[in-house]
Amino acid sequence: MKIYNTLTRQKDEFKPLEEGKVSMYVCGPTVYDYIHIGNARPMIVFDTVRRYFEYKGYDVNFVSNFTDVDDKIIKKAIEGGIDASVVSEKFIEEAKKDMTALNVREATKHPKATEEIDGMIEMISTLIEKGHAYEKNGTVYFKTRSFEGYGKLSKKNIDDLEAGHRDIKVAGADEKEDPLDFVLWKPKKEGEISWSSPWGEGRPGWHIECSVMSKKYLGDQIDIHAGGEDLIFPHHENEIAQSEAANGVEFARYWMHNGFLNIDNQKMSKSKGNFFTVREIGEKYPLQVIRFFMLSSHYRGPINFSEELVMAAKTGLDRILTAVSNLEYLYDNAKLENITDEEKATLEEFVEFSNRFDTAMEDDFNTADAISIVFEMVRVANAKVTSDNSKEFIESVKGTIDVLCDVLGIETKVEKEILAEDIERLIEERQAARKEKNFARADEIRNELLEKGIILEDTREGVKWKRA
Ligand code: AMP
Ligand code: ZN
């Protein structure tokens, strides 16, 4: 399996640290509002990466944090006259609802920054002891030049960075020893949430959170660290500096970054009025369509979100779902039970599709190609499968499509709502059965309806029904 590694700027062969296991950390959202449609992209992409590893038999330890202490959260709390935790807890719950609707599976662990402060104080202390950090009036800074590999992820040259920062130093804007140094711990400001530390009351910087949560839940060294491409610099560069300086081992072996999502070819921004939350989009389209839309492009490229493109994705997804539902119908109506030799030969084609799907995914998770293979399967299924085929064969064809869709997180089981006319017909049939004293059949019908969420009530005016 090949993964494009931002660290090496090439597709590297994936070799896990431990046979059969994958440890993965994905930087999660800052929870000061509903998640936006851009935040949904890393969630969907890396959930799919996880699903593929699991499909291949790996045991995946998938950790994704919630940043629940940050300037924006504090600002919102102060404005509303409420605790920062009230803001963050609410939006963690809302983010989880959106993730479920996007069919993003819950992580093995979703740590929250505010619950990991002790670990952060410990790592900052280690960095000070090792000479990689220093304190000035309650602020602790990381001594960037003390870490030799600084710039290796973003391919930035430390001297060029220094040149860009010189003006700040001249202006004496802060007390850093070097303009390149970044904050690990900052002192409390009036009215802000804070924790006690050896450097006084304060709170952690953003970068240290991920270094600490990754270490605690996955260990000093992990297989994959991921996030959106905006995080490469400075967030991930700083995480590498902190973790490697503190732990003395290489941090993550593979760094994966998704491209950005733009709206109608423009950067999404609140001021431009082209900013959408997942919740808003969910009112216009089923979120499964959004997932399918995002996976229809390669994760590393930019993606353009427009009504037209989403509708095209919807048409494509409907084609797959209709084919699966037809297969279900054919299965129910098939008379033959066991697979024939001729059918066995046709199934070979489906095995071949499955292999090609894997090949696409193993080439840096090319979900766009993987989806086109699912379309080919659907075309063949539509052309070749009829109710003259055996149940075993139809089930196999449908099973292959289901499994591959599941790797992409696409749910093929769409509960069809039972229509009122079908309910009325079954009620009539039940009344007839009762008249004939065929109570077994009458009960069977009642139960069948119940399974579909229809409750029958026998009243004096006749049978009434309602949806549960
Ligand atoms: P944030 O809450 O801004 O820290 O973002 C959480 C995650 O969403 C990070 O991995 C970001 O890189 C990612 N992200 C934010 N905006 C976009 C966007 N427009 N397109 C794709 N990914 C994004
Ligand atoms: Zn992070």
Side-chain angles (χ1 to χ4, degrees), residues 125-134 143 146:
S125 303
T126 306
L127 288 169
I128 295 176
E129 274 161 35
K130 291 192 168 181
H132 288 293
Y134 59 93
K143 214 186 263 191
S146 75

Side-chain angles (χ1 to χ4, degrees), residues 179-380:
L180 287 180
D181 296 350
F182 58 89
V183 172
L184 298 173
W185 185 267
K186 48 183 131 186
K188 174 188 174 148
K189 283 199 207 124
E190 202 39 51
E192 282 187 6
I193 181 173
S194 65
W195 290 265
S196 6
S197 81
W199 320 288
E201 286 279 311
R203 62 183 167 102
W206 170 37
H207 315 303
I208 196 75
E209 297 175 8
C210 289
S211 281
V212 168
M213 293 186 271
S214 175
K215 178 184 169 84
K216 176 162 172 190
Y217 296 101
L218 299 168
D220 288 355
Q221 195 176 27
I222 68 171
D223 290 306
I224 300 172
H225 195 115
E229 66 185 8
D230 58 321
L231 300 186
I232 298 174
F233 187 85
H235 186 54
H236 288 162
E237 194 69 66
N238 291 357
E239 277 190 48
I240 292 179
Q242 297 163 155
S243 295
E244 298 193 356
N247 304 329
V249 287
E250 185 190 25
F251 181 28
R253 308 277 308 279
Y254 303 87
W255 286 85
M256 294 180 74
H257 293 100
N258 64 271
F260 251 44
L261 175 139
N262 299 315
I263 310 269
D264 292 323
N265 290 313
Q266 300 222 7
K267 192 170 187 277
M268 179 162 63
S269 90
K270 278 194 177 151
S271 57
K272 275 196 213 134
N274 64 351
F275 179 95
F276 301 105
T277 62
V278 168
R279 204 54 68 84
E280 286 163 339
I281 296 293
E283 282 164 15
K284 279 184 90 174
Y285 315 98
L287 286 175
Q288 160 130 297
V289 170
I290 301 301
R291 181 171 182 124
F292 190 73
F293 161 76
M294 294 220 194
L295 295 178
S296 301
S297 312
H298 196 278
Y299 77 91
R300 275 192 286 123
I303 196 172
N304 187 35
F305 187 94
S306 73
E307 171 117 25
E308 201 185 335
L309 294 171
V310 173
M311 289 318 286
K314 184 171 186 313
T315 309
L317 178 59
D318 283 346
R319 206 172 341 133
I320 297 173
L321 300 182
T322 307
V324 172
S325 134
N326 280 344
L327 289 170
E328 265 165 28
Y329 175 83
L330 294 174
Y331 177 86
D332 288 342
N333 289 283
K335 302 203 173 47
L336 207 65
E337 282 298 327
N338 297 325
I339 195 159
T340 65
D341 285 344
E342 198 186 327
E343 288 174 338
K344 275 186 192 154
T346 310
L347 273 190
E348 289 296 315
E349 273 183 66
F350 283 85
V351 172
E352 187 51 33
F353 282 132
S354 216
N355 291 338
R356 284 175 52 213
F357 178 95
D358 289 7
T359 307
M361 292 298 276
E362 307 229 342
D363 179 17
D364 192 30
F365 302 96
N366 193 335
T367 52
D369 277 4
I371 286 175
S372 67
I373 292 156
V374 175
F375 280 134
E376 282 185 54
M377 292 170 83
V378 161
R379 216 171 299 134
V380 173

Side-chain angles (χ1 to χ4, degrees), residues 5 10 69 92 95 161 192 257 372 397 405 437 463:
N5 189 353
Q10 63 180 21
V69 53
I92 286 174
L161 283 171
E192 282 187 6
H257 293 100
S372 67
V397 170
C405 283
K437 300 218 179 318
V463 184

Side-chain angles (χ1 to χ4, degrees), residues 396-408:
S396 272
V397 170
K398 182 181 161 308
T400 316
I401 299 176
D402 280 345
V403 165
L404 301 187
C405 283
D406 187 54
V407 172
L408 300 170

Side-chain angles (χ1 to χ4, degrees), residues 26-32 35-43 46 67 72 206 226-231 236 258-262 267-268 303:
V26 182
C27 291
T30 306
V31 279
Y32 63 98
I35 58 165
H36 60 69
I37 191 72
N39 297 140
R41 192 169 187 200
M43 288 173 175
F46 299 115
T67 295
K72 291 188 189 122
W206 170 37
E229 66 185 8
D230 58 321
L231 300 186
H236 288 162
N258 64 271
F260 251 44
L261 175 139
N262 299 315
K267 192 170 187 277
M268 179 162 63
I303 196 172

